[in-house]
Amino acid sequence: METIDLRALPLTDAFARRIDYLRISVTDKCNLRCIYCMPAQGLPWIEREQLLRFEEIERLVRIFAGLGVTKIRLSGGEPLVRRDLHRLVAMIRAIDGIVDIALSTNGILLEEQLPALMSAGLTRVNVSLDTLREDRFEALARRPGLDRVLSGIDAAVRAGAIPVKINCVAMRGRNDDEIEAFARYARERDVAVRFIELMPVRENLGLSADAYIGAEEILERIASIEVLQPITGPPGNGPARYFGFANGRGSIGVISPLSHDYCERCNRVRLTADGRLRLCLFGENHLDLKKALRAGESDERLRERVAAAMLVKPERHHLRIGEASSQMRAFSEIGG
Ligand code: SAM
Ligand code: SF4
């Protein structure tokens, strides 16, 4: 029987989904403690020597690029707390086949680091922002800093990382009274405000059952004050649905990670800060690429491992609103 050389094909999983997008967590640490993502005391952080070094990340990206991955997103934790992140951006930029390097950030350190990141070759920026009110920012992120985030967004718009995408996790009773204010914010700027449905993870079980608001409700509320029209949306890699204003500059998006067409269109895998390749946003199945790297495996062997891992990428996640599961962990990474 003829055998197929997996290494010669673009990465495809067992459900014929083409995988061309790699999300890389460069650190698990963060300078905020958002109530839906991290406990107030932080997490048991990964030891420094267990973090992938930039040179190791670069080698892995080269391998993924050779398998048809074209898009990279740097994330965390908070990626901008990793020192000299711009150096990694430049290293990835130099790899043949990579056409897009995006960043997901909470925006606190964005304004000061943006010039170096943009000259290193960063193409796009997503900023998380769940409130436009300073008092509330501190309640939701457990740290101050709204003014810094807003300046970071303005700096990104000025720097031409347009359209800057803003990710807002909508929560009933916490920030849902600002949905209309966010819509006005988007109407006046070159930004896409994307409302993300709250995902239930171990860190937020007390919150998620009653705080969940579905995308349709969010859209109905905006439609009561603005005329929205479905649009194709700005370039990107994610499963957001977008709407433009009849009379305005930016756009609105909604992301429904709990719906299953989200999984049907999944084109991504992610690399954790300690070098495990996770095949699904949630779920424990992973490939320990750091172990393989540090054991001195050849590029060819690593390529084979990555291609074979795609065949066990799950068809879908099994999360449900307000329900606990041993799968859960805030590896939530959706702002694509
Ligand atoms: N620190 C960066 C940031 O906040 O953008 C990058 C990492 S953060 C985990 C990536 C995105 O996941 C953010 O937009 C955040 O709002 C979102 N997120 C985290 N936990 C979530 C949850 N339980 N439900 C929905 N979105 C979540
Ligand atoms: Fe930090 Fe981002 Fe999680 Fe907020 S969502 S705690 S900013 S990693």
Side-chain angles (χ1 to χ4, degrees):
M1 197 174 68
E2 202 184 325
T3 54
I4 299 173
D5 182 358
L6 290 173
R7 295 159 308 170
L9 299 172
L11 282 184
T12 306
D13 74 3
F15 304 96
R17 291 173 298 194
R18 172 82 202 281
I19 310 300
D20 61 0
Y21 180 25
L22 174 66
R23 308 181 63 107
I24 303 174
S25 174
V26 294
T27 177
D28 57 334
K29 296 203 177 62
C30 189
N31 45 3
L32 298 181
R33 295 285 184 275
C34 302
I35 54 170
Y36 49 77
C37 175
M38 269 193 204
Q41 70 279 15
L43 293 165
W45 308 121
I46 297 171
E47 287 166 35
R48 202 187 160 131
E49 61 276 17
Q50 299 307 319
L51 284 181
L52 284 188
R53 296 185 285 273
F54 284 174
E55 290 67 22
E56 291 174 318
I57 296 176
E58 179 195 30
R59 180 161 170 223
L60 290 177
V61 173
R62 227 176 259 292
I63 284 164
F64 277 93
L67 287 163
V69 166
T70 57
K71 295 170 278 201
I72 301 292
R73 175 170 298 278
L74 302 175
S75 182
E78 171 49 38
L80 298 185
V81 303
R82 177 102 188 230
R83 190 181 302 165
D84 293 338
L85 189 72
H86 62 93
R87 209 164 60 75
L88 178 65
V89 172
M91 288 160 82
I92 295 176
R93 188 81 234 173
I95 297 175
D96 276 349
I98 301 297
V99 296
D100 190 29
I101 310 176
L103 173 76
S104 284
T105 172
N106 62 28
I108 296 281
L109 300 172
L110 184 59
E111 187 175 18
E112 63 207 64
Q113 295 193 27
L114 196 69
L117 291 165
M118 295 296 286
S119 15
L122 188 75
T123 35
R124 294 182 302 110
V125 181
N126 288 10
V127 183
S128 297
L129 180 61
D130 301 324
T131 176
L132 294 163
R133 289 172 37 179
E134 179 64 53
D135 58 328
R136 190 171 276 176
F137 186 93
E138 204 157 339
L140 296 178
R142 299 196 188 96
R143 305 264 166 98
L146 177 65
D147 49 341
R148 298 179 71 178
V149 181
L150 294 176
S151 318
I153 293 170
D154 291 343
V157 172
R158 280 196 308 274
I162 290 177
V164 176
K165 293 178 185 166
I166 296 177
N167 291 337
C168 174
V169 178
M171 291 166 282
R172 198 178 304 284
R174 307 280 178 152
N175 66 355
D176 64 321
D177 56 346
E178 291 186 70
I179 288 175
E180 294 82 357
F182 269 108
R184 282 192 292 273
Y185 182 85
R187 181 154 47 74
E188 287 154 17
R189 293 171 180 75
D190 288 317
V191 298
V193 170
R194 295 129 41 97
F195 294 99
I196 305 175
E197 292 177 355
L198 177 66
M199 292 183 289
V201 293
R202 196 189 299 148
E203 282 72 9
N204 70 23
L205 279 179
L207 170 75
S208 57
D210 52 338
Y212 175 86
I213 310 184
E216 299 315 316
E217 181 180 336
I218 294 168
L219 289 173
E220 273 166 31
R221 288 180 52 172
I222 299 174
S224 70
I225 57 153
E226 300 278 354
V227 179
L228 293 179
Q229 295 156 341
I231 55 170
T232 308
N237 312 305
R241 284 182 287 147
Y242 285 97
F243 301 84
F245 298 101
N247 190 0
R249 293 173 71 169
S251 58
I252 293 290
V254 285
I255 302 180
S256 317
L258 293 178
S259 74
H260 287 301
D261 68 330
Y262 180 88
C263 299
E264 273 163 34
R265 291 177 292 145
C266 186
N267 63 341
R268 61 192 64 189
V269 287
R270 53 169 305 167
L271 185 63
T272 65
D274 59 353
R276 283 169 297 135
L277 183 67
R278 285 191 172 261
L279 302 166
C280 177
L281 200 60
F282 303 95
E284 292 302 323
N285 68 342
H286 68 267
L287 170 66
D288 193 342
L289 283 174
K290 174 171 82 329
K291 196 161 135 206
L293 273 176
R294 294 190 182 172
E297 288 195 0
S298 66
D299 283 3
E300 194 182 349
R301 182 70 191 115
L302 290 169
R303 243 192 312 275
E304 278 169 5
R305 281 186 183 279
V306 169
M310 291 310 122
L311 302 180
V312 295
K313 180 171 162 64
E315 184 174 16
R316 43 167 283 197
H317 65 66
H318 295 277
L319 293 184
R320 273 196 282 273
I321 302 159
E323 200 174 88
S325 152
S326 60
Q327 299 182 337
M328 290 179 197
R329 170 70 188 83
F331 283 113
S332 38
E333 261 295 283
I334 47 181

